Amino acid sequence: MASATASQPRERKPSMGAPISTLQGPVGPGFTRPKHKRTATGFGAQDIKSVESSIPESMREAWKNFSVKGFNSKETFQKEAVRHIETTLARSLYNCDEKAAYAGVALAFRDRLIIDWNKTQQRQTFADQKRVYYLSLEFLMGRALDNAMLNIGLKTEAKEGLADLGFRIEDVIQQEHDAALGNGGLGRLAACFLDSLASLNYAAWGYGLRYRYGIFKQEIENGYQVEIPDYWLDSNYWEFPRYDVTVDIQFYGWVNKYTDENGKHITSWQDGEIVSAVAYDVPIPGYGTATVNNLRLWNSTASSGEFDFAKFNSGEYESAVADEQRAESISAVLYPNDNMERGKELRLKQQYFWCAASLYDIVRRFKKSKRPWKDFPDQVAIQLNDTHPTLAIVELQRILLDIEGLEWSAAWDIVTKTFGYTNHTVLPEALEKWSVPLIQHLLPRHLEIIYEINLHFLQQVERRFPKDRDMLGRVSIVEETQPKMIRMAYLAIIGSHKVNGVAELHSDLIKTTIFKDFVKIYGPDKFTNVTNGITPRRWLHQANPRLSELIASKVGSYDFLKDLTLLNKLENFVDDKDFKKEWQEIKYANKVRLAQHILSATGISVNPKALFDVQVKRLHEYKRQQLNIFGVIHRYLAIKSMSAEERKKLAPRVSIFGGKAAPGYWMAKTIIHLINKVGDVVNNDKDVGDLLKVVFIPDYNVSKAEIIIPASDISEHISTAGTEASGTSNMKFVLNGGLVIGTLDGANIEITREIGEQNVFLFGNLSEDVEDLRHNHFYGNHQIDPELMKVFDKIREGAFGDASAFESLVAAIVSHGDYYLVSDDFNSYCKTQDLIDETYKNQEEWLSKCITSVARMGFFTSDRCINEYADSIWNIEPLQVKEEAEVRARTGLEK
């Protein structure tokens, strides 16, 4: 009997879930029930006025009198920080270390943000206008404290206040752990977009997952990448658990179809496993405005509770917590290894869990407005950041059909007007596909809806192109392989009203290659381009404060942080000797800072006067870190063959690498291994000395990027032409006064157009030649470049350790077709590196190139991107914020 009772899920009622007005009769001796309602998740715009009018005047007055006021001075900041240190942390003057000081400051600024966060949510609810919901599996936010201090304009007060309390602000900021919510450019773009949405006063929410261990923390052992958990949540003061916002998410089960008493066909998804999604909110402050938007992250927990007492008492101790462990695995790690079937199932589970919870929340918010369903696309815009959230399309269709009872055509019309899809890759192998048996097992109702969507779509295609039967197979969502696969990118295109690429070349390529049939079907207007951008607040003002201050002194204010085109005024100072001298001093100071970090992180001592050559990004063969390290070996061999006199003429260089390889991506991990082994040899070769150093900085993240990027002299963006969708690190490096070596790929093309070809070091083949070159590798008389063969011979001799460890890397180029054209571009790459050496010797010319490049970077701001999305995809307007003038004054913006 006990076990039967235990199997029933425990009902959990949120403490504030029901409005008090549902209480009937008196609620205590001599008291009548309150006349006004309360609710944990707030009211819709139409209800607020009636609720507000029912609030007694005395209650309104009490709330007004005691509402929290945010600090605006050094003294009031100190009061808040000390209060948190003493009461929240139970520390005192005598045992407050830097970690406790960070916690106190973070909590003080978090409280300050929450005041504006509450006002922002109220303002957006009152305005009752269209909201944007940005769905991204990654949000690579970086540290929150420094960003919060700068965006609300109170860093100076905090710095002075901390000094009085005995702390350096730099030491306090260093205590914060990066939020481990992303890995590469996809997640950092999402973070930049959230910053711009708030800074431009758009009503917007981000939705993601709260990964307990991030992707992983990277350590290097014997040259190999080793993955360990990233315990970033241990001291995270920037989130609010919303235990009252919990959504039950269903998996597995079966589909029941029947006809009700009114003759209506009903479809019901029944039984299976239930997992609870608990909301955690993260405030996102805008710069120079009182707008603080929200990032909602979902955490997975067992719906029936963490602990099964019946099993525990019967000795099944491990089984007692099995449900919780299985549920928690959903939001444990970003991108679980999918080299095995269980990994694939967990990834799909993760994606549906996040999409379903987010859709539930969005629909709940819309229903408060009491509008008819046809108005949904006028109130809601959902942007899919790549294919990961594509199941949101199917889930919304399921909600409208099965729960809200709409007819298919009406529901599908709403869905397609709501979603926009951003594509981030032209690599066919990178477009997500899920097997039909897996979806059938995990999400049986969704598979039915996908087949129905596909049927309606193919019928339309058949009517329009009756003589092109082959097209049906090419554009079908269902790929007829063994097993059958669901093509998520195709589903995203069919279910969205706009599809955009993220750079001009990328947008052209998707229309002429992977999606060309869809352009025929829908016409070119459905496809558009929004070239990526970055937020100058983090990537210039926060990462490089001295350069930001120097620029502000020349352009007249910090307004360039909200209008990056104002940087063009810097061109007036290209020949100003004092300006160039100060610019050079700032760059050198940044290089000294990076050299200190390299020494502490790796034990390698580097000369800050050397040319710093940087490639930091996710490890992937198409990004061609292997080309870079082969080039480094070529340089090393050249130095070894030089005379002492020749070596004196050579510009010293430090080659700096950083980035994580996916745990299951063996080739990328082999590249990391080679980089480290080459470093072991080169860095200990007395003949070479400071002429060449090779450094791999472990566990690359946003905070490390903020140290590395301002110190770069040259950065490498050397992907095979036609493979990089955009790239945004190229923009960050140029904005910080570094030059670029790159192929004509992604946003490199637009950067070259903006800053001038004379200020970029371009090399390599063009995207239109790539397929012919690949064909020639197999069927022509392609020969490996002789200089590259010397590099391979050195590797195979065992000069950098066990040659067999790197044989797969060499064989991919020599024997297996060289898919990424390393051999074709190697000679051009090396010659361009020689040109960089020569140019760097003339520091006056080099500085002029750097200053000119920064002056012409106005186009590459994420503010411009967001305005383009708002105009051409989302159809939304920013809100007016009356408190903005006060915040603008604090942040150094002109009124």
Side-chain angles (χ1 to χ4, degrees):
M1 189 71 187
S3 61
T5 307
S7 66
Q8 296 295 320
R10 188 172 85 245
E11 187 179 359
R12 286 182 162 177
K13 291 185 177 179
S15 59
M16 295 174 63
I20 288 178
S21 60
T22 58
L23 299 168
Q24 299 298 313
V27 294
F31 294 95
T32 56
R33 63 186 178 88
K35 291 178 181 175
H36 62 285
K37 299 178 187 176
R38 292 195 181 104
T39 168
T41 54
F43 293 98
Q46 294 179 19
D47 293 326
I48 285 177
K49 288 178 183 173
S50 61
V51 170
E52 208 177 20
S53 64
S54 70
I55 298 174
E57 194 57 44
S58 58
M59 189 182 294
R60 195 195 306 272
E61 190 63 29
W63 276 92
K64 187 178 176 183
N65 288 341
F66 299 108
S67 283
V68 181
K69 307 288 190 295
F71 63 83
N72 285 314
S73 66
K74 179 182 83 171
E75 292 74 22
T76 49
F77 157 73
Q78 289 173 319
K79 181 181 176 184
E80 285 297 299
V82 170
R83 179 178 68 81
H84 274 298
I85 291 165
E86 293 190 342
T87 60
T88 309
L89 306 175
R91 299 284 190 101
S92 71
L93 168 66
Y94 304 103
N95 65 347
C96 179
D97 57 7
E98 285 169 351
K99 198 85 178 168
Y102 160 70
V105 173
L107 289 164
F109 271 91
R110 187 193 72 171
D111 289 355
R112 182 71 180 69
L113 288 184
I114 288 305
I115 296 167
D116 286 340
W117 184 91
N118 278 323
K119 288 177 182 174
T120 300
Q121 302 312 311
Q122 289 164 11
R123 183 164 57 245
Q124 292 177 0
T125 301
F126 272 112
D128 197 23
Q129 67 181 52
K130 193 172 188 177
R131 272 193 175 103
V132 176
Y133 298 101
Y134 197 82
L135 269 59
S136 180
L137 202 55
E138 295 185 40
F139 287 96
L140 200 56
M141 303 303 294
R143 288 176 175 151
L145 176 58
D146 200 14
N147 183 65
M149 291 191 291
L150 287 167
N151 277 16
I152 60 179
L154 291 168
K155 186 170 183 178
T156 302
E157 288 76 3
K159 183 177 182 177
E160 293 171 358
L162 277 168
D164 288 354
L165 297 171
F167 295 96
R168 290 174 68 245
I169 194 169
E170 294 81 7
D171 298 331
V172 170
I173 289 169
Q174 288 296 319
Q175 302 306 309
E176 184 177 353
H177 200 309
D178 273 40
L181 296 170
N183 179 34
L186 185 84
R188 188 51 237 175
L189 180 76
C192 284
F193 279 5
L194 290 187
D195 178 90
S196 287
L197 283 161
S199 298
L200 297 170
N201 299 322
Y202 286 105
W205 283 48
Y207 278 103
L209 282 174
R210 181 181 179 263
Y211 304 106
R212 197 168 293 106
Y213 307 116
I215 185 165
F216 58 82
K217 192 173 191 294
Q218 182 193 55
E219 292 187 350
I220 302 297
E221 292 183 11
N222 299 320
Y224 289 97
Q225 170 180 292
V226 176
E227 303 95 17
I228 62 171
D230 188 349
Y231 298 104
W232 70 282
L233 284 170
D234 287 352
S235 302
N236 180 28
Y237 301 104
W238 300 97
E239 64 178 15
F240 291 88
R242 299 291 197 188
Y243 299 121
D244 45 345
V245 183
T246 302
V247 187
D248 283 345
I249 308 298
Q250 185 177 358
F251 297 103
Y252 312 112
W254 58 288
V255 180
N256 184 19
K257 295 187 177 182
Y258 60 93
T259 305
D260 68 8
E261 61 274 14
N262 299 319
K264 187 172 182 180
H265 296 292
I266 304 295
T267 304
S268 173
W269 180 18
Q270 296 183 350
D271 300 333
E273 178 185 61
I274 302 293
V275 176
S276 288
V278 180
Y280 283 73
D281 288 347
V282 180
I284 307 294
Y287 177 77
T289 176
T291 296
V292 179
N293 280 337
N294 196 43
L295 169 60
R296 177 156 285 180
L297 304 172
W298 297 104
N299 189 60
S300 56
T301 61
S303 65
S304 56
E306 304 83 34
F307 192 75
D308 191 322
F309 255 114
K311 285 182 178 177
F312 188 84
N313 288 334
S314 63
E316 299 175 54
Y317 305 126
E318 291 82 8
S319 299
V321 292
D323 285 353
E324 180 65 8
Q325 288 175 340
R326 190 167 64 252
E328 285 185 351
S329 68
I330 294 173
S331 61
V333 174
L334 168 64
Y335 301 136
N337 188 350
D338 63 352
N339 286 353
M340 51 206 159
E341 284 307 310
R342 288 192 68 191
K344 288 183 172 69
E345 181 175 321
L346 182 57
R347 274 212 190 189
L348 185 59
K349 219 174 183 183
Q350 199 176 61
Q351 291 184 8
Y352 176 67
F353 171 85
W354 153 57
C355 290
S358 303
L359 257 294
Y360 175 90
D361 210 40
I362 292 165
V363 167
R364 173 188 59 76
R365 198 169 292 115
F366 170 76
K367 288 176 79 170
K368 283 183 187 176
S369 71
K370 297 183 171 60
R371 284 182 164 85
W373 276 107
K374 66 179 177 59
D375 291 350
F376 190 80
D378 297 327
Q379 291 294 107
V380 173
I382 302 176
Q383 191 67 28
L384 308 176
N385 193 26
D386 215 354
T387 52
H388 308 126
T390 303
L391 282 170
I393 290 170
V394 190
E395 176 66 4
L396 181 55
Q397 182 73 355
R398 185 188 74 83
I399 290 168
L400 297 176
L401 292 175
D402 298 357
I403 299 172
E404 301 300 333
L406 273 67
E407 295 299 323
W408 179 276
S409 57
W412 188 242
D413 185 56
I414 290 166
V415 169
T416 53
K417 287 177 178 174
T418 298
F419 287 97
Y421 161 49
T422 302
N423 173 272
H424 285 277
T425 184
V426 292
L427 302 177
E429 66 271 21
L431 296 174
E432 277 193 311
K433 296 175 186 175
W434 297 107
S435 77
V436 166
L438 175 58
I439 301 177
Q440 173 71 54
H441 175 57
L442 192 67
L443 303 167
R445 177 58 179 144
H446 294 74
L447 184 63
E448 289 185 353
I449 293 172
I450 289 168
Y451 268 97
E452 190 83 6
I453 291 167
N454 198 40
L455 176 64
H456 285 276
F457 170 66
L458 292 180
Q459 285 172 344
Q460 290 174 9
V461 175
E462 169 73 20
R463 285 195 293 272
R464 284 199 54 205
F465 304 95
K467 295 180 181 176
D468 193 349
R469 291 286 174 87
D470 290 342
M471 183 187 276
L472 296 177
R474 293 198 305 270
V475 301
S476 174
I477 295 171
V478 183
E479 186 177 58
E480 299 294 334
T481 53
Q482 284 298 327
K484 291 182 179 180
M485 304 294 284
I486 300 300
R487 300 189 266 212
M488 302 306 277
Y490 290 9
L491 178 56
I493 293 168
I494 294 162
S496 300
H497 65 96
K498 277 284 186 185
V499 178
N500 73 282
V502 290
E504 284 180 10
L505 174 65
H506 170 235
S507 297
D508 287 342
L509 283 172
I510 63 174
K511 286 193 286 188
T512 56
T513 58
I514 52 175
F515 300 148
K516 64 182 178 184
D517 286 321
F518 291 96
V519 177
K520 265 192 210 172
I521 293 164
Y522 290 111
D525 289 350
K526 179 162 180 162
F527 297 83
T528 187
N529 174 63
V530 182
T531 298
N532 282 345
I534 58 173
T535 169
R537 274 80 63 176
R538 182 175 289 269
W539 293 114
L540 181 55
H541 194 44
Q542 182 174 326
N544 204 343
R546 279 188 64 190
L547 185 61
S548 180
E549 186 181 2
L550 177 63
I551 292 169
S553 73
K554 297 302 178 186
V555 303
S557 73
Y558 281 103
D559 279 16
F560 68 91
L561 296 172
K562 292 287 282 265
D563 179 4
L564 204 59
T565 59
L566 294 174
L567 289 176
N568 61 19
K569 295 180 181 179
L570 289 179
E571 288 213 50
N572 298 328
F573 302 95
V574 168
D575 298 320
D576 184 321
K577 287 190 177 175
D578 291 338
F579 177 69
K580 289 172 89 167
K581 183 169 180 288
E582 193 169 352
W583 187 284
Q584 192 172 27
E585 285 170 0
I586 291 168
K587 176 64 73 175
Y588 183 73
N590 288 331
K591 291 172 74 173
V592 169
R593 180 176 67 155
L594 176 55
Q596 290 167 346
H597 175 79
I598 289 170
L599 184 61
S600 66
T602 67
I604 300 167
S605 177
V606 300
N607 178 8
K609 290 181 179 175
L611 184 150
F612 279 17
D613 174 349
V614 181
Q615 188 179 20
V616 284
K617 52 185 73 203
R618 180 169 59 89
L619 261 290
H620 199 291
E621 288 167 277
Y622 87 81
K623 292 179 184 286
R624 298 204 294 189
Q625 285 94 346
Q626 69 272 38
L627 173 59
N628 188 344
I629 194 61
F630 294 153
V632 170
I633 296 170
H634 171 74
R635 176 178 288 267
Y636 172 63
L637 297 178
I639 293 170
K640 291 287 282 182
S641 67
M642 286 178 182
S643 66
E645 285 304 310
E646 287 173 319
R647 287 176 188 170
K648 285 178 184 175
K649 297 174 186 174
L650 196 65
R653 185 181 289 229
V654 181
S655 284
I656 299 165
F657 296 83
K660 296 178 181 179
Y665 193 175
W666 186 59
M667 194 70 92
K669 293 171 98 167
T670 303
I671 296 170
I672 292 176
H673 185 207
L674 180 60
I675 292 166
N676 283 299
K677 287 301 177 183
V678 170
D680 289 345
V681 173
V682 171
N683 300 338
N684 294 296
D685 192 323
K686 291 184 171 61
D687 291 343
V688 176
D690 274 353
L691 286 177
L692 181 62
K693 296 285 187 184
V694 181
V695 176
F696 187 92
I697 298 175
D699 203 38
Y700 178 64
N701 57 22
V702 174
S703 296
K704 290 186 176 74
E706 290 171 16
I707 298 171
I708 295 166
I709 289 170
S712 158
D713 291 307
I714 195 87
S715 61
E716 309 225 4
H717 310 277
I718 56 177
S719 52
T720 310
T723 61
E724 185 73 87
S726 169
T728 52
S729 64
N730 42 12
M731 303 169 192
K732 293 160 196 163
F733 281 103
V734 178
L735 187 62
N736 279 274
L739 300 183
V740 163
I741 176 172
T743 49
L744 279 162
D745 195 27
N748 286 354
I749 296 168
E750 285 151 277
I751 289 173
T752 303
R753 185 180 65 205
E754 292 292 320
I755 71 176
E757 198 171 336
Q758 69 278 14
N759 298 314
V760 183
F761 296 97
L762 296 171
F763 76 96
N765 287 283
L766 303 179
S767 61
E768 51 262 40
D769 300 325
V770 167
E771 285 307 316
D772 289 341
L773 289 166
R774 284 175 179 157
H775 183 271
N776 188 47
H777 290 176
F778 284 107
Y779 305 109
N781 57 354
H782 173 66
Q783 297 291 315
I784 302 290
D785 183 276
E787 292 300 312
L788 182 58
M789 281 308 299
K790 289 180 186 175
V791 170
F792 291 162
D793 290 343
K794 203 71 180 170
I795 293 170
R796 284 170 163 168
E797 284 170 16
F800 308 107
D802 180 6
S804 64
F806 310 116
E807 184 53 36
S808 60
L809 202 54
V810 175
I813 295 163
V814 176
S815 310
H816 301 145
D818 189 13
Y819 187 78
Y820 296 104
L821 310 188
V822 171
S823 57
D824 300 89
D825 286 347
F826 186 75
N827 181 260
S828 172
Y829 175 72
C830 293
K831 285 182 176 173
T832 306
Q833 290 285 13
D834 293 340
L835 177 62
I836 289 168
D837 285 336
E838 284 306 307
T839 310
Y840 190 69
K841 289 175 185 174
N842 183 346
Q843 276 293 297
E844 280 300 307
E845 183 191 349
W846 187 273
L847 278 170
S848 296
K849 286 177 181 289
C850 294
I851 294 166
T852 304
S853 298
V854 173
R856 296 175 181 177
M857 281 296 289
F859 178 76
F860 298 101
T861 167
S862 49
D863 292 355
R864 185 261 315 152
C865 304
I866 290 302
N867 283 326
E868 287 183 17
Y869 276 102
D871 290 343
S872 63
I873 299 175
W874 301 331
N875 191 27
I876 60 166
E877 296 286 336
L879 285 171
Q880 295 299 312
V881 181
K882 63 182 179 182
E883 301 96 331
E884 187 162 337
E886 176 197 338
V887 189
R888 286 179 69 84
R890 281 205 308 269
T891 49
L893 299 171
E894 292 182 344
K895 293 182 180 178

